[in-house]
Amino acid sequence: MESKANEGARVADAAKSHGDDHGHAEGGHGHGAPLQYPYVAHHFDSPQQQFDSGKLGIWLFLVTEILFFSGLFCAYTIYRAQNPEVFYWAHFYLDTNMGALNTVVLILSSLTAAWAVRAAQLGQQKLVKINILVTIACAFTFMGVKYVEYSHKFHDGLLPSRHFDPKHEVWEVEAFKKKHPEAAEAMTRLMAKLEARKATAAVDLEVPHGEPLALVPVVNQVAAAPAEAAEGSAAQATTTQAATAQEAVAQQAPAQEGAAPAPAQEAAQEPATQEAGTAEAAEAGAEGTEEAAPAAPAPVAAPAPAPAPAAEEPILDDDVFLANELRKLTPAEATPLLRAGVLQRQADGPFELVRPKKAGVFFSIYFFMTGLHGVHVIIGIGVWIWMLVRAGRRKFGPKYFGPIDFTALYWHLVDLIWIYLFPLLYLIH
Amino acid sequence: MAAPTTAADLVVAPSKPEDNYLTHDKGILSWIFTLDHKRIGLMYLVSVLVSFALGGFFALVVRTELLTPGKTLITHDQFNQAFTLHGAVMVFLVIIPGIPAALGNIILPLQLGAKDVAFPRLNLMSYHLWVLGALFLLASMVISAADTGWTFYVPYSTSTTTAVIPAVFGAFILGFSSIFTGLNFIVTIHKLRPPGMTWFRMPLFLWALYATAVIQVLATPVIGITLLMLIVERLVGLGIFDPSLGGDPVLFQHFFWFYSHPAVYIMIVPAFGVISELICAFSRKPIFGYKFIALSSLAIAFLGFLVWGHHMFTSGQSVLAGAIFSAITFLIAIPTAIKIFNWLATMYKGRIHLDTPMLYALAFLWVFTIGGVTGVFLATMSVNVHLHDTYFVVAHFHYVMMGGSITAFMGGLHYWWPKFTGRMYPERAGRVGAILVFLGLNFTFFPQFILGTRGMPRRYYNYLPEFTGLHQFSTIGAYILGAGFLLTAIYLLKSVRSGPKAPANPWGATTLEWTCQSPPPYYNFHEAPVVNRGPYDNYDKLRFDKKSRGYVPAE
Ligand code: HEM
Ligand SMILES: [Cu+2]
């Protein structure tokens, strides 16, 4: 069928068999006949054939590009499905405003790219150049914004796994504060308390790089409730992380200065005695999933002022103290922390404050995807500059605009990939 | 245009006999920066053959080391490096580009009746990328050769101290070379067919190249991104694959085989195409079941994407997934067998000429069938658990890659040699070489099936004394194989200088490349060929011309 069309084009001369407003097979010149078009390569018979070949070629190329990125999207999907809390945790660190700005910039550049093609088809030389220039300017803007974003990330230690060393905890991040003010405030208060205690007590809460935040295994039946409240995907994650948390505890135990050798077990004895007061709160929390949450805080607040248990065991007390404080978080405060995997507890055991274990992987994926995309933008800039030079030589017109058309197609793909990356990385919930 | 079928289209295009693509321009730069598909193909051919010698050298080192248990020649670390280099060179530098990029580049436009491929510059770039990729592999060799096996499995590749990054980067670049070749071929076949060349008038080699190109374009980007991730993993520690950072090494295997199983079809499907040409030409008979052969290539290309899990039965994949992968793998045997039966049917009652290319084609039928059937053994889950990572797998893939792809490549090389160089190779030496290769192949790899079933693991430096006999048998086979290739190299090189001048059509074949002189003129065809017949019609309209020692149109 297609070959028929080809033959048709050759034979039918000016007949509008292709229905395009450009480069028909003009004249039925045969194979090898001298070509009257300087821009048709020797091995093509007609401008039409050349254009069609280029078009098919660029589409195939775009297919390979999509497949190239698909590996990364696949890795993204797998890690997100397995570690939803990491993605929830990490997205607070991304600057949505900058991402949104870049999205707008790229969409604008796609518009001007398309306009450049149109202008070339209509032979409006000046407009072609202006549009290409705007496109290039947008591309540079995009890269500039990315540069700012990247340097913030580098500065804050938000790097791929091996070098991952964030300077701020999630509740210290603006985006988190804005979205979950109660949780952020509660954590800030809690940290301040810890600091204060640290100043007086000799127990060191710092943990070596790569370990979870210094935290304490304390059995807390109450916690079961908020954990469930975190619901759905997060609930599953919590169980899978049980092992992780356990490891963390095991690794940490020896590191505790003067701590009893097996805090986990000891702590395990304790809860029964402590829990009477907060158990109800937990119940409340259980029902109070996200929507109902605001109703719950009142009863929980009550036990807060009494850090009594800490007094009973002076050596372990920082840990116990922290755990108790965590337990006192209201569902509204606890839920976001649970979802972000910052607050975790083992299946029926201690409740602790950690950093999600694979948090670094998010930034691996983030840098890899946006970095590769950035490389494509840079390549695009190069190609657009080349197009600008050629447009400057008045190369394009109604009969010959293939290269600009193909560049624009490539550019649309680059744009499109960003349009996927933006929500997948910046806007997840 | 719609003239009745005559022999006219088989006429040799009259042209100044002196001017051909080899003599059209002079000087080294006219080669390095040529846009002519034939020259690019020839450069590929030389490069591939040199790589083949290099890969062969490593193979002989490995086999010699295995002559006795314990140390024979090299240390265990060097052994790991030797088999890794052997595998990487043979797969990435030889077999994948061998038939499509080297033979295909020259033949595709000629068989199609086009003046060039659609994007000559891209074609040149593919070649330059190939060279660059090869240099990176070479760099790894010089710095400290990778020792991970050609599969670069994580965590070997993230923990070894050898120069994995250059090797992987080399493979990454070679991937792009392959993608661009595939893309070029697809567009060429779609858009550059001359008048009358319908899809079903295309020679089967073109169908095979087309199916291959589809796989190249769809699968190779995935290995590209995988290798890139591996490099970055090693450089900065992504934690995506590396288990010590919380990554998932099995994910790497999925990604790797998602490409590398289709990649085995990148290696074998063009070989099918060559065999179709050879069987027809040397049986002097139109192909039996043209459409079945043509479409089965596409079926294989499609199914090939759905079976990667058969490499991972023992990697902790669920039994259900394993069963599905196993079943789909069995399905692939169907289009493969269709081809084999059609080739046999083509030969039936044909006038079979046992020239060297045909000997290679017959060797292919034998050896590839064994390779394919043992593949079905391996695709059976319960059997696989026993045989995985043993010499049985080694024997299987050598039967298909060495016995399938390389044998077909050698057949094609001899078949088109007169077209490429304008010279005939010595027929008698050619036959001796083909027979040596066939015998060597079977001697080398058949014992490995037995070794594998008895539990000899692959990639081992040492082995139990009871395996000694079979290992030595295999090593001697490898020397015979080496001798066959050495002989072939010698007479082919000699023929370039002193071989008799080749006629346009030495074999009495009917596809379009035989209608232009040998070697072809710069622009291939002076007049666009008008095609009004199937690719294998008109054998009876040719007669042998004693003077030119080639076939010319009868009447
Ligand atoms: C009839 C079709 C085929 C079937 C059913 C088949 C099946 C298999 C199976 C199940 C394995 C996995 C063995 C294991 O590791 O446990 C395997 C390995 C392999 N096959 Fe095939 N195969 C077929 C054809 C081919 C062809 C045509 C090629 C190449 C030209 C090929 C190349 C390989 C290679 C290279 C390996 C080993 C990869 C490695 O682990 O290094 N196979 N095959
Ligand atoms: Cu496979």
Side-chain angles (χ1 to χ4, degrees), chain B residues 95 150-151 153 257 261 263-265 267-268 272 310-311 313-314 329-330 332-333 336 368 371-380 384 387-389 393 396-397 400-401 405 458-459:
Chain B
I95 299 192
W150 76 280
T151 47
Y153 269 18
W257 289 116
H261 185 82
V264 311
Y265 293 107
M267 307 181 211
I268 200 68
F272 292 156
H310 66 215
H311 296 272
F313 289 138
T314 53
T329 306
F330 291 157
I332 292 201
T336 314
F368 178 76
V373 168
T374 53
V376 178
F377 293 12
L378 286 170
T380 314
N384 184 280
L387 294 175
H388 176 69
D389 265 356
V393 176
H396 155 69
F397 69 70
V400 281
M401 288 163 68
S405 310
R458 71 190 278 204
R459 293 177 173 166

Side-chain angles (χ1 to χ4, degrees), chain A residues 1-3 6-7 10-11 30-33 42-45 49-50 52-58 60-61 63-65 67-72 74-75 78-79 82 160-163 357-358 360-361 364-365 368 372, chain B residues 1 113-120 172 176 179-180 183 186-187 190-193 195-198 217-218 221-222 224-225 228-229 232-241 245-248 251 255 523 526-528:
Chain A
M1 196 190 127
E2 196 174 327
S3 84
N6 271 352
E7 259 176 287
R10 222 180 299 275
V11 178
H31 230 79
H42 79 85
H43 58 292
F44 290 116
D45 291 333
Q49 191 186 30
Q50 170 161 316
D52 288 348
S53 300
K55 197 91 173 188
L56 181 59
I58 189 75
L60 283 171
F61 177 71
V63 168
T64 70
E65 286 280 26
L67 285 160
F68 195 62
F69 273 93
S70 71
L72 291 172
C74 205
I78 289 166
Y79 277 91
Q82 288 177 353
S161 300
R162 191 189 295 155
H163 305 282
K357 187 153 188 216
K358 292 187 183 169
V361 174
S364 299
I365 290 176
F368 207 129
L372 194 65
Chain B
M1 251 185 204
K115 278 183 272 185
D116 207 320
V117 293
F119 308 116
F172 173 76
F176 279 93
I179 290 175
F180 291 141
L183 191 156
I186 293 181
V187 177
H190 270 277
K191 299 294 177 196
L192 262 55
R193 279 175 285 124
M197 179 63 92
T198 58
V217 165
L218 296 184
V222 178
I225 194 68
L228 195 63
M229 277 155 102
V232 181
E233 179 80 77
R234 226 181 125 88
L235 280 177
V236 308
L238 289 177
I240 293 177
F241 296 142
L245 294 170
D248 182 356
L251 184 62
F255 279 13
Y523 285 127
H526 292 257
E527 284 298 317

Side-chain angles (χ1 to χ4, degrees), chain B residues 56-74 79 461 463 471-472 474-476 478-479:
Chain B
F57 166 76
F58 288 122
L60 290 180
V61 170
V62 169
R63 274 321 317 166
T64 306
E65 173 51 48
L66 291 169
L67 204 51
T68 61
K71 180 172 171 165
T72 312
L73 189 68
I74 52 177
F79 178 78
Y461 176 67
Y463 51 83
H471 266 304
Q472 290 183 343
S474 177
T475 301
I476 291 168
Y479 293 151

